[in-house]
Amino acid sequence: MTADRPVPSRAPGRLGGVALVLGGALSVQFGSAVAALLFPRTGVAGAVTLRLTLGALLMLVVCRPRLRGHGRGDWAAVIAFGLALAGMNSIFYQAIGRIPLGPAVTLEVLGPLALSVVGTRRLAAWCWAGLALAGVALLGQGGFDRLDPLGVALALLAGTMWAAYIVCSARVGARFPRADGLALALAVAALVTLPIGLADAGGRLFHPAVLGLGAGLALLASVLPYSLELAALRRLPTATFAVLMSLGPAIAALAGWLVLGQALHPVEVVAIGLVVAASAGAVRAATPPPPPPVTPAPAVSAAAAAPTARR
């Protein structure tokens, strides 16, 4: 960079990160609807195995990550990321096997929202989190009486794993180039879930129609969203990423209605809207105010006065 070239604004990178998160959310929620179509054929564990195993194979072929040159801390981060992926997917699929997709994701996003509140440590963030809890309480008034209690508990537990996934994904993205760390973590998740899926579904996993649906599931629910999210985490703070992902309930409700025919009660629609509104408010609360403009001294070049940009 020459001394007289202006430093580019970081706003386009932030806006691009938001677009990546939303694209990943659309992909993963419609992928979850496809997974629910697989449950009668493969069982929940079989669907998880298809998603993670085929997703891992696709990512390993495309990325061809290097196995050498990584330290012990790098491999520890990959293993933790893989365990978070395996736990998050397995627990959440068990939840949507028992309760509708929209309410399940509404409960699940409490994990990322809690992460955003802890990350920002601002009073406004706590207020928005309170609004989200009010939405969940309203959801209970409209539907918890018709929801499987075990499904509700599993959705909440999946939210905890989702928060762990966000933290682990950011660490792996900082340690590995491109999507190499994601490919390796998916391989770890596939190895963890494969024995369970084979024991549950057996030869049904190898039926051509099941493999076709599984490949679509792996692409929609693993390869595409995780790649987009990993790229987004390189552009956005972890807390901002977490609350943007909280838009998932509205997208999940739409996917459940379009793909699975899961209609929502009016009270549930309002409840999901409150959670989405809380997420949008938390995004603003998590965004730091822009620094005041500083006029450089005449003897100092613009490049020397500007802060070093993050990679």
Side-chain angles (χ1 to χ4, degrees):
M1 179 184 293
T2 59
D4 57 349
R5 183 180 299 176
V7 178
S9 170
R10 294 167 64 183
R14 183 178 293 272
L15 292 176
V18 171
L20 289 169
V21 174
L22 294 179
L26 282 167
S27 183
V28 77
Q29 300 304 342
F30 276 86
S32 295
V34 172
L37 296 176
L38 268 174
F39 291 167
R41 301 186 180 190
T42 65
V44 175
V48 173
T49 294
L50 281 174
R51 170 181 174 173
L52 293 177
T53 302
L54 294 178
L57 291 174
L58 287 171
M59 288 296 293
L60 289 172
V61 169
V62 171
C63 297
R64 288 182 289 181
R66 289 190 305 109
L67 299 180
R68 297 182 179 179
H70 304 299
R72 186 175 299 177
D74 298 332
W75 287 113
V78 163
I79 292 172
F81 191 17
L83 293 176
L85 281 168
M88 178 181 69
N89 285 290
S90 299
I91 296 170
F92 178 69
Y93 277 20
Q94 290 288 345
I96 64 174
R98 292 170 169 83
I99 61 177
L101 184 58
V105 177
T106 302
L107 294 167
E108 187 192 25
V109 299
L110 293 182
L113 192 59
L115 178 63
S116 72
V117 171
V118 173
T120 57
R121 299 179 183 178
R122 295 183 180 182
L123 178 60
W126 287 98
C127 294
W128 290 115
L131 181 63
L133 290 175
V136 171
L138 186 61
L139 180 67
Q141 293 295 322
F144 280 176
D145 56 342
R146 67 184 182 90
L147 298 181
D148 184 336
L150 179 58
V152 171
L154 288 169
L156 293 172
L157 182 58
T160 302
M161 297 302 299
W162 192 357
Y165 156 78
I166 292 170
V167 174
C168 293
S169 181
R171 291 176 179 173
V172 168
R175 289 174 175 267
F176 288 83
R178 303 183 304 277
D180 288 10
L182 171 62
L184 294 171
L186 274 172
V188 172
L191 290 174
V192 170
T193 58
L194 184 58
I196 303 173
L198 288 175
D200 186 48
R204 290 174 292 168
L205 292 179
F206 303 102
H207 190 280
V210 170
L211 285 174
L213 281 173
L217 172 62
L219 184 63
L220 277 175
S222 290
V223 177
L224 184 58
Y226 292 153
S227 298
L228 293 176
E229 291 165 10
L230 192 64
L233 280 164
R234 292 191 173 110
R235 293 168 171 83
L236 295 172
T238 302
T240 303
F241 174 87
V243 291
L244 279 172
M245 293 292 284
S246 298
L247 296 172
I251 300 172
L254 178 63
W257 175 57
L258 291 176
V259 180
L260 303 174
Q262 295 176 343
L264 294 174
H265 295 170
V267 174
E268 293 174 317
V269 174
V270 174
I272 291 174
L274 286 177
V275 175
V276 171
S279 302
V283 169
R284 297 195 63 180
T287 304
V294 178
T295 304
V300 180
S301 67
T308 303
R310 295 182 184 176
R311 294 188 61 185

